Amino acid sequence: MAGKTSGTGELTLSGRFNHYSSTYLGAVARFYARLHARLYDRFGGTRFTTLAGKPVFRLLVTGRKSGEPRPVMLMLVRDGEDLLVCGSNGGHPELPNWWRNLLATERPEVQVGRERWAVDAQVISDDTEYERLWKVLVAGYPDFATYRELSPRRFPIAVLRRSA
C-alpha cells in the first residue's frame, strides 16, 4: 500500500515512531507489549487501559505452535457492538503473530475493562466493506494511516463479534 493515500495525507510522528519500533526494535516492542498485557491482567482491566491516550483491549488467543495462551493488547475500535482488529503490526512488512494465532484459535476471547467474552472472528475480504471499516479504524486510531503509508502490504481486517 506504500504510496497510496491514507485518507489524511499526513504521517503522524507517533505512527512513524511505532513503525520504526516494530520494524527495527522488535524485541523492545514485544517486551513492552507483553508487559502491558500483564499489567492490564493484573489490575483486572481497570488500569493500563490506554496506549498513547487511545483505548485498548486484550485479545486472548492460543499459540498455534505452542498451544499456550497468548494475550495481546490491541487498539479498541468499535463498529457498533463489534470490535475491529487490524493486522498492521505497526506497519512492519510481516503479519503479526497474533493475527496468525487468531485465525488458528477455535474460540478467541476479548477483555474490555473488567468484562470478558468469547468472539467469532470474520476476516474482511470484500473491498467495499474493507474500505468502510478502514475508515472506522483510522478514525479510532489515526496512526493506522501512517502505518499503511509506510508498509508495502495490505493490512488484514477482522470483525470480532460476540459469540452466541
Side-chain angles (χ1 to χ4, degrees):
M1 291 262 142
K4 287 194 169 191
T5 181
S6 63
T8 64
E10 296 180 21
L11 301 180
T12 63
L13 183 60
S14 58
R16 286 176 184 237
F17 174 78
N18 292 337
H19 175 264
Y20 181 86
S21 297
S22 71
T23 304
Y24 301 106
L25 303 173
V28 174
R30 282 188 301 278
F31 171 80
Y32 178 77
R34 289 176 183 148
L35 177 63
H36 193 173
R38 284 188 195 120
L39 292 169
Y40 186 88
D41 182 51
R42 179 177 178 135
F43 289 99
T46 61
R47 296 190 183 178
F48 300 94
T49 59
T50 62
L51 180 65
K54 298 288 185 184
V56 294
F57 76 100
R58 189 169 72 145
L59 173 66
L60 299 137
V61 293
T62 303
R64 64 195 181 287
K65 295 178 183 176
S66 69
E68 297 293 320
R70 299 289 184 219
V72 60
M73 301 302 295
L74 299 173
M75 304 314 296
L76 178 60
V77 180
R78 295 181 185 268
D79 183 42
E81 293 294 314
D82 301 330
L83 303 181
L84 301 179
V85 292
C86 176
S88 69
N89 204 9
H92 190 282
E94 295 180 20
L95 280 171
N97 283 329
W98 69 259
W99 180 267
R100 293 182 182 101
N101 290 336
L102 173 64
L103 298 181
T105 300
E106 186 175 322
R107 192 132 171 118
E109 293 183 359
V110 299
Q111 181 181 355
V112 179
R114 291 183 178 174
E115 190 179 1
R116 188 169 160 173
W117 65 91
V119 293
D120 297 314
Q122 175 194 357
V123 177
I124 303 305
S125 57
D126 177 72
D127 287 341
T128 303
E129 182 68 356
Y130 181 95
E131 287 306 319
R132 183 187 78 76
L133 294 175
W134 176 255
K135 290 175 185 171
V136 174
L137 282 162
V138 171
Y141 185 64
D143 286 349
F144 281 137
T146 297
Y147 303 159
R148 187 181 200 183
E149 287 288 330
L150 298 174
S151 181
R153 66 182 176 87
R154 177 179 166 121
F155 302 148
I157 296 174
V159 174
L160 303 180
R161 194 162 283 127
R162 192 180 291 257
S163 293

